Amino acid sequence: MKMHNNDKYDFKAIEAKWQKRWLDEQPYRVTPDPDREKYYVLEMFPYPSGRIHMGHVRNYSIGDVIARYKRMQGFNVIHPMGWDAFGLPAENAALKHGIHPARWTYDNIAYMREQLRAMGLSYDWDRELATCDPDYYRWEQLIFLKMMEKGLVYRKETTVNWCDSCQTVLAREQVIDGCCWRCDQQVVPRTMHGWFFKITAYADELLDGLETLTGWPEKVVTMQRNWIGRSQGLACDFRIENHDQVLTIFTTRPDTIFGVTFMSVAVEHPLIEQLISGTEHEDRVRDFIRKALVEKQRQALDAEPEKHGVFTGAYCLNPFNGERIPIFVADFVLMEYGTGAVMAVPAHDRRDFDFARKYDLPIRVVVQPADRETTDTAPAEAYVEPGLLVDSGPFSGMDSQAAKEAIIAHAEQHGFGKARTTYRLRDWGISRQRYWGTPIPVIHCQRCGIVPVPEKDLPVVLPGTDTPDGSHAPLHRQEEFYATTCPECGEAARRETDTMDTFVESSWYFARYTSPRSTTTPIDREAAGYWLPVDQYIGGVEHAILHLLYSRFFTRVLRDLGYLAIDEPFANLLTQGMVIKDGAKMSKSKGNVVDPNDLINTYGADTVRLFSLFAAPPERDLEWNAQGVDGASRFLNKVNRLIRSNLDCFGSAPLDADTMNPPSRLLHRRTHQTIKRVSDNIEKNFHFNTAISAVMELVNQATTLTAESRKELQPGVLRPCLETVLLLLFPMVPHFCEELWELTGHDQSMDHAAWPGFDPEAAREDELTVVVQVNGKVRSRLTVAADIDNELLRQQALADERVRHFMAGKQAKKIIVVQGKLVNIVI
């Protein structure tokens, strides 16, 4: 076999060549084909910040491997890309640099598009979209109006988290330690009107649908289940003493209702004003509420701060026994959960127990363990498990479950309570008070009230986007935008100046990809029917709750509006880990960023892709390692040398197994074993790291055999081995493999090549190594025929000299055989 000295490949020339060919020929452009099975692979689309980072490289490399692998399997693969382009970062950056957000965004998109092309990603660029394009958000506005017609949109006054620096409302999740997640400035409470999507109308369906998501990580499913937070229990009215009002509570533990010793209400509860107005407690309660609201902004959602409260001076009456119950305002009660009022049972709730101890309130035991009786009237801790009721009137002696049902029935019979299901999930507040977002398509008229913008007038376009120096002040400061006429009465009116939360755009983009150029409908139902749902969705676990939940909600809304015929948007979900350097996630603030551009310029895109895939399983964090990039580069150069040193084998016809000599049979067997390993690792869990490792082992085997058994190794075996190496590596390193595929005489691109088939017979070992134990300790190893039967294996084990030595003439009491692996002789 002829040797060549071209042992280092010119990645810059090769990658430029194939990227141009892909751009010219557009092999990844797809259309629906009813005769072919579809496969939709999608990575969460990026925010156009200006440059891709290593997290992008990893995310998109994973998606591209899956897309290319599925194409080679014969699927009709849709693999789109677009830009999550609205949002505060663009607006802030534009202010900082003195340019319009539209120009800043589109310049970044153009730059990042070239970066993604330089990575060799197999996107259908004809489907590219940007959410800041009026051709996209006009349809979002139409969906908004359709949702209004269905009663799924409403406007109300609410207390919001307000960032004065950013001049916008923040979701609870965007407040970190009391500060804005973007500018790190203090967040304050503010009362204002806002628009809401009625996601709670789908709470049960969103919760029940989780049972169908068998292709999602269990931790993500659990996070969504907990976020929706369905609870079943009793809603019960406690009449307020000396008032005509009742205080309605919700409890999941009605079996403890005789143990109520105080009431806790949220600081925002609407009855507080009536309870304290004109009383000696008024000033103290108001001061407490003011401080609690400010402190509330500083707390993380999962924080467990010290609990505080203040007595209102008011009492309510327990409807079950007539007992007077003091009412406290407490900072740990959530207005958005249940009714905003909680019956406090300190003997059976840890939070209430701590509060009662702090404020010297009574603790009354009403549930005891079923297996023991206690007379302890001052318990050291709350007993929170079910048990048997005591001191609970006619319900004493019942077990907790039976008592819950009986107590609910009693409340319903007497008209002061009823069974209720509540949710932790709140309706989605979508109003934002900034410029760079989708305008909400409604008009406020003094005569007609809130009037939807007529569909014929959509889109409501952001002002100033058509000129480089156009205004990008918040819309409530732009009279030329908000001053309009009412479409119903014709009188002067005012446009809505809030823009939509950017999560709205990302909640349906995957559906728009199926018909991105449609000018008559947001989503072509026929195209969506072919392509959806997304078969494999890929993104960070940080989106496990909001983005994924909102997308699941929107899918159901779009279904009910007639645009879609599916319930769930994403059949399978892969949450890839972060890229870590120096023990922390890569970020500019930590100074540990590695620029992918520098790596691509130094090593080539294929090497960077290979490193990101090989360094760790996709669901685990990837620890940055410069030596790992060098290793990936060395491996590709090794493959390059191996192929180029054996080019003359590519003119040989494949051999039948019965004509192969021993070294050729060995290489043939290793080739099919590798196909099996790589296919399994990709198909079962996308463990590309072990798949690449298997190819590395095959390359090492081929390199060794071509060096040590050159004269014996048959070209008709070496050729399919080397072709298999290229086919298995193609999804990972496409430019590199395409070049060598062409070099070895193949007329068609690898885009038309099929994934190699696995032959179980060819992969079967001729011989096996079997471990022999005596009394559980390894004493020898036997090399035997792969098809040896158990009886012959027993005989050979007993005849082995080392085994006979350790048996020392004793008879075997028992011989255990694990076929093809182990013999254990018990003496």
Side-chain angles (χ1 to χ4, degrees):
M1 296 178 184
K2 188 176 179 182
M3 296 290 292
H4 295 266
N5 293 323
N6 306 17
D7 61 350
K8 201 161 189 177
Y9 80 102
D10 183 354
F11 65 81
K12 289 188 176 180
I14 290 171
E15 291 177 2
K17 167 186 170 180
W18 288 99
Q19 286 163 21
K20 183 178 186 305
R21 186 172 298 185
W22 293 330
L23 184 62
D24 292 343
E25 297 178 1
Q26 299 193 40
Y28 311 118
R29 180 192 293 166
V30 290
T31 56
D33 183 349
D35 295 329
R36 294 176 64 195
E37 187 175 356
K38 67 91 182 181
Y39 193 88
Y40 188 167
V41 59
L42 180 65
E43 305 96 62
M44 294 179 185
F45 64 169
Y47 168 72
S49 60
R51 285 178 174 268
I52 62 172
H53 52 68
M54 285 303 298
H56 289 133
V57 170
R58 190 183 193 199
N59 189 2
Y60 305 148
S61 295
I62 291 169
D64 199 52
V65 172
I66 297 170
R68 291 181 182 275
Y69 169 71
K70 289 295 182 180
R71 285 192 199 97
M72 295 176 78
Q73 289 187 311
F75 288 90
N76 191 23
V77 175
I78 181 174
H79 188 205
M81 174 50 68
W83 312 95
D84 191 8
F86 270 143
L88 200 52
E91 202 166 344
N92 288 344
L95 291 170
K96 180 179 178 180
H97 300 294
I99 59 174
H100 196 280
R103 178 179 171 184
W104 187 86
T105 299
Y106 281 110
D107 285 351
N108 286 350
I109 287 173
Y111 186 83
M112 291 177 69
R113 184 189 299 117
E114 292 308 308
Q115 286 187 297
L116 297 182
R117 282 180 170 151
M119 285 179 61
L121 301 168
S122 59
Y123 292 129
D124 179 355
W125 285 104
D126 279 3
R127 296 178 183 272
E128 181 183 13
L129 57 81
T131 60
C132 63
D133 188 332
D135 287 339
Y136 182 85
Y137 67 73
R138 68 171 291 194
W139 299 116
E140 187 164 296
Q141 291 172 337
L142 177 63
I143 293 167
F144 180 97
L145 296 179
K146 297 292 186 184
M147 290 174 69
M148 280 188 74
E149 292 174 6
K150 290 277 190 179
L152 294 172
V153 179
Y154 63 93
R155 186 172 183 258
K156 72 171 183 177
E157 189 173 75
T158 182
T159 300
V160 297
N161 301 312
W162 177 260
C163 175
D164 202 51
S165 173
C166 295
Q167 286 287 294
T168 195
V169 171
L170 300 176
R172 288 187 300 161
E173 300 76 24
Q174 296 168 327
V175 181
I176 301 172
D177 295 329
C179 296
C180 173
W181 68 318
R182 294 208 185 279
C183 69
D184 205 35
Q185 297 300 304
Q186 185 70 46
V187 173
V188 296
R190 173 180 283 194
T191 301
M192 61 193 308
H193 281 92
W195 290 93
F196 290 80
F197 284 159
K198 201 170 183 180
I199 189 173
T200 53
Y202 289 84
D204 280 324
E205 193 178 342
L206 288 168
L207 190 62
D208 295 341
L210 293 172
E211 301 301 322
T212 70
L213 299 179
T214 56
W216 284 36
E218 185 56 38
K219 66 178 180 181
V220 175
V221 172
T222 299
M223 291 166 75
Q224 291 224 349
R225 183 178 290 114
N226 292 341
W227 189 261
I228 297 169
R230 182 164 62 194
S231 300
Q232 295 172 317
L234 169 68
C236 186
D237 294 335
F238 285 61
R239 186 170 59 82
I240 300 174
E241 193 175 61
N242 301 321
H243 284 267
D244 294 331
Q245 301 280 356
V246 296
L247 186 63
T248 302
I249 61 93
F250 171 79
T251 178
T252 60
R253 291 293 306 272
D255 55 319
T256 67
I257 203 160
F258 283 83
V260 177
T261 60
F262 62 97
M263 281 287 176
S264 303
V265 299
V267 294
E268 306 95 338
H269 200 287
L271 285 180
I272 293 176
E273 183 65 30
Q274 296 181 47
L275 298 181
I276 65 172
S277 183
T279 71
E280 60 182 295
H281 300 275
E282 181 175 5
D283 291 343
R284 192 154 56 96
V285 174
R286 291 192 191 282
D287 185 59
F288 174 84
I289 291 173
R290 180 183 56 79
K291 291 177 180 177
L293 285 171
V294 171
E295 186 62 32
K296 193 175 182 181
Q297 317 306 318
R298 300 176 181 171
Q299 296 167 4
L301 281 176
D302 56 354
E304 284 291 340
E306 186 179 355
K307 300 157 187 66
H308 302 90
V310 62
F311 180 43
T312 62
Y315 290 83
C316 60
L317 302 178
N318 188 329
F320 282 86
N321 58 14
E323 186 174 357
R324 295 177 79 222
I325 308 295
I327 302 172
F328 281 72
V329 178
D331 58 6
F332 58 83
V333 179
L334 301 176
M335 188 63 219
E336 57 266 30
Y337 179 76
T339 65
V342 176
M343 68 175 208
V345 186
H348 305 294
D349 182 276
R350 295 187 183 94
R351 183 185 58 185
D352 295 342
F353 183 89
D354 293 342
F355 192 91
R357 281 284 184 89
K358 182 171 183 175
Y359 292 99
D360 197 24
L361 296 165
I363 299 175
R364 181 182 305 134
V365 174
V366 292
V367 178
Q368 292 186 339
D371 58 350
R372 67 184 188 276
E373 185 176 341
T374 177
T375 58
D376 189 0
T377 58
E381 61 182 1
Y383 175 71
V384 299
E385 303 300 324
L388 297 179
L389 270 64
V390 296
D391 297 330
S392 298
F395 308 101
S396 295
M398 287 187 178
D399 69 77
S400 288
Q401 185 56 43
K404 286 180 182 180
E405 296 170 6
I407 287 171
I408 291 174
H410 179 88
E412 290 180 332
Q413 182 182 355
H414 291 81
F416 55 75
K418 58 183 178 179
R420 179 182 292 180
T421 300
T422 65
Y423 303 86
R424 181 178 185 269
L425 180 68
R426 299 293 92 193
D427 282 339
W428 175 10
I430 66 160
S431 287
R432 299 296 180 266
Q433 291 68 43
R434 293 304 298 257
Y435 167 80
W436 194 234
T438 297
I440 293 176
V442 298
I443 292 169
H444 300 274
C445 174
Q446 286 191 340
R447 170 179 290 185
C448 304
I450 294 174
V451 180
V453 171
E455 289 184 23
K456 65 180 179 61
D457 294 337
L458 298 179
V460 178
V461 179
L462 284 173
T465 56
D466 54 349
T467 57
D469 55 352
S471 172
H472 52 271
L475 297 181
H476 64 271
R477 299 178 188 171
Q478 298 198 47
E479 184 176 358
E480 68 276 16
F481 171 78
Y482 65 71
T484 187
T485 56
C486 174
E488 292 189 358
C489 71
E491 292 190 3
R494 182 184 177 97
R495 288 191 187 279
E496 174 61 63
T497 56
D498 283 358
T499 53
M500 294 191 207
D501 179 6
T502 55
F503 274 117
V504 179
E505 284 84 67
S506 61
S507 294
W508 70 286
Y509 78 108
F510 52 87
R512 180 64 179 173
Y513 275 142
T514 64
S515 51
R517 303 294 170 256
S518 173
T519 58
T520 58
T521 181
I523 303 159
D524 181 275
R525 186 177 172 87
E526 185 177 350
Y530 177 79
W531 290 117
L532 291 174
V534 175
D535 294 283
Q536 185 62 60
Y537 200 35
I538 307 162
V541 74
E542 65 270 19
H543 300 293
I545 296 178
L546 294 186
H547 164 59
L548 293 174
L549 185 64
Y550 293 158
S551 297
R552 296 180 62 227
F553 163 61
F554 245 72
T555 297
R556 287 162 168 80
V557 170
L558 292 170
R559 176 203 63 195
D560 292 347
L561 293 176
Y563 295 115
L564 298 180
I566 58 171
D567 299 329
E568 294 290 345
F570 313 120
N572 297 284
L573 174 68
L574 173 62
T575 53
Q576 92 279 357
M578 296 183 295
V579 181
I580 306 294
K581 185 172 184 283
D582 303 328
K585 179 183 177 181
M586 283 190 181
S587 68
K588 291 179 181 178
S589 62
K590 294 185 175 67
N592 63 351
V593 171
V594 175
D595 189 340
N597 276 9
D598 294 341
L599 291 176
I600 291 173
N601 290 334
T602 304
Y603 294 97
D606 282 332
T607 293
V608 178
R609 287 170 59 124
L610 189 67
F611 164 75
S612 71
L613 295 164
F614 182 62
E619 73 278 6
R620 301 283 296 276
D621 289 345
L622 184 157
E623 182 71 40
W624 169 257
N625 184 337
Q627 289 74 33
V629 184
D630 287 330
S633 178
R634 287 194 302 271
F635 170 67
L636 292 184
N637 280 300
K638 183 175 185 177
V639 175
N640 183 59
R641 290 192 298 270
L642 177 64
I643 300 288
R644 290 177 180 272
S645 298
N646 295 280
L647 287 176
D648 42 6
C649 80
F650 287 91
S652 304
L655 295 183
D656 292 332
D658 55 5
T659 64
M660 295 178 189
N661 59 28
S664 298
R665 187 176 294 110
L666 171 62
L667 187 60
H668 183 61
R669 182 164 60 248
R670 291 287 184 265
T671 299
H672 282 271
Q673 290 173 345
T674 303
I675 294 171
K676 172 67 171 166
R677 288 175 60 191
V678 172
S679 300
D680 285 351
N681 280 311
I682 294 177
E683 199 68 44
K684 291 179 180 177
N685 49 22
F686 299 134
H687 277 195
F688 308 118
N689 57 322
T690 51
I692 294 167
S693 179
V695 180
M696 289 177 170
E697 292 177 23
L698 179 60
V699 169
N700 289 340
Q701 184 83 69
T703 301
T704 299
L705 287 173
T706 55
E708 296 179 356
S709 307
R710 179 170 298 279
K711 294 181 180 179
E712 298 179 58
L713 194 61
Q714 295 164 296
V717 172
L718 181 59
R719 173 187 173 179
C721 169
L722 298 182
E723 287 178 333
T724 296
V725 167
L726 294 178
L727 289 166
L728 297 179
L729 286 177
F730 173 63
M732 291 88 162
V733 286
H735 315 83
F736 175 85
C737 291
E738 281 278 27
E739 184 69 14
L740 291 177
W741 191 254
E742 183 182 72
L743 180 68
T744 53
H746 295 87
D747 295 331
Q748 280 198 317
S749 160
M750 295 191 81
D751 287 318
H752 302 286
W755 187 254
F758 162 67
D759 181 353
E761 184 61 27
R764 189 173 63 84
E765 291 282 358
D766 291 340
E767 294 182 330
L768 299 172
T769 299
V770 176
V771 171
V772 183
Q773 298 176 334
V774 177
N775 287 344
K777 294 184 178 180
V778 177
R779 297 306 188 188
S780 187
R781 286 178 171 82
L782 304 177
T783 301
V784 299
D787 57 357
I788 189 171
D789 63 52
N790 287 353
E791 182 56 37
L792 183 56
L793 186 56
R794 287 191 190 93
Q795 294 175 14
Q796 290 194 19
L798 290 170
D800 183 79
E801 289 187 12
R802 287 181 54 78
V803 171
R804 290 167 66 86
H805 168 75
F806 284 102
M807 290 181 67
K810 297 178 182 179
Q811 293 297 311
K813 295 179 180 178
K814 188 177 183 181
I815 302 176
I816 302 167
V817 177
V818 180
Q819 189 169 14
K821 294 183 179 180
L822 177 143
V823 178
N824 184 21
I825 301 169
V826 181
I827 59 174

